[in-house]
Amino acid sequence: MGFVQLVLLEGVLLLSAGMIFFGGIWGTVAATVALSGINLFMHDLTQFWRWEIPLLFWGMGGMILLLIVGRIANKSQVVTGLVGGLISLVLFGAFITPIVAIILWALVIGTGIIPKNKKSQVLWSVAPTILRLILGLVWIIYGNILTL
């Protein structure tokens, strides 16, 4: 596989992770379809099903987890500016090193994001965002393993 194809593949994988983060359940469906397309492109029919069954299984598991955690988080009724803050963290991280990006994000955007409520309410309000980040990272790793 050439360099340009690898760069395009990483772009599709990052786009899939972004779809999961911003789209939630529907983004996870779209990312699963995108990874299925990569799987179809990279493997013959026998290897395709070897990779596709776990992909569909974990995709459905991720969607169910997002649904459950989202419902629990909505019951806590804590609204924060966390998603906007995380978007700025991604933008800072795209141009500078991650450690400096986290420090800048905490100094510029991070103040006042977490409300002074019960710790469990704050945890459940942050849980869907963290779950989306984890699912996006897992999809990037799985997509890279698909190309081996």
Side-chain angles (χ1 to χ4, degrees), residues 119-130:
K119 289 181 184 179
S120 65
Q121 287 181 334
V122 173
L123 178 67
W124 281 113
S125 67
V126 176
T129 305
I130 293 171

Side-chain angles (χ1 to χ4, degrees), residues 22 29 31 36 49 72 78 91 110 125 135 145:
F22 294 111
V29 170
S36 292
W49 288 110
I72 293 172
V78 175
L91 291 177
S125 67
L135 283 174
I145 292 172

Side-chain angles (χ1 to χ4, degrees), residues 83-106 109 133:
V83 173
L86 284 174
I87 292 169
S88 65
L89 175 62
V90 170
L91 291 177
F92 282 143
F95 299 109
I96 52 180
T97 64
I99 294 172
V100 175
I102 291 171
I103 292 170
L104 283 175
W105 172 71
I109 305 295
L133 285 171

Side-chain angles (χ1 to χ4, degrees), residues 46-105:
T46 56
Q47 282 188 330
F48 171 79
W49 288 110
R50 178 178 164 232
W51 291 99
E52 189 68 18
I53 292 171
L55 175 69
L56 294 175
F57 176 74
W58 289 111
M60 290 295 293
M63 289 175 230
I64 291 169
L65 271 174
L66 282 173
L67 181 67
I68 291 169
V69 170
R71 288 187 188 250
I72 293 172
N74 284 339
K75 288 181 183 177
S76 69
Q77 297 177 356
V78 175
V79 178
T80 67
L82 184 65
V83 173
L86 284 174
I87 292 169
S88 65
L89 175 62
V90 170
L91 291 177
F92 282 143
F95 299 109
I96 52 180
T97 64
I99 294 172
V100 175
I102 291 171
I103 292 170
L104 283 175
W105 172 71

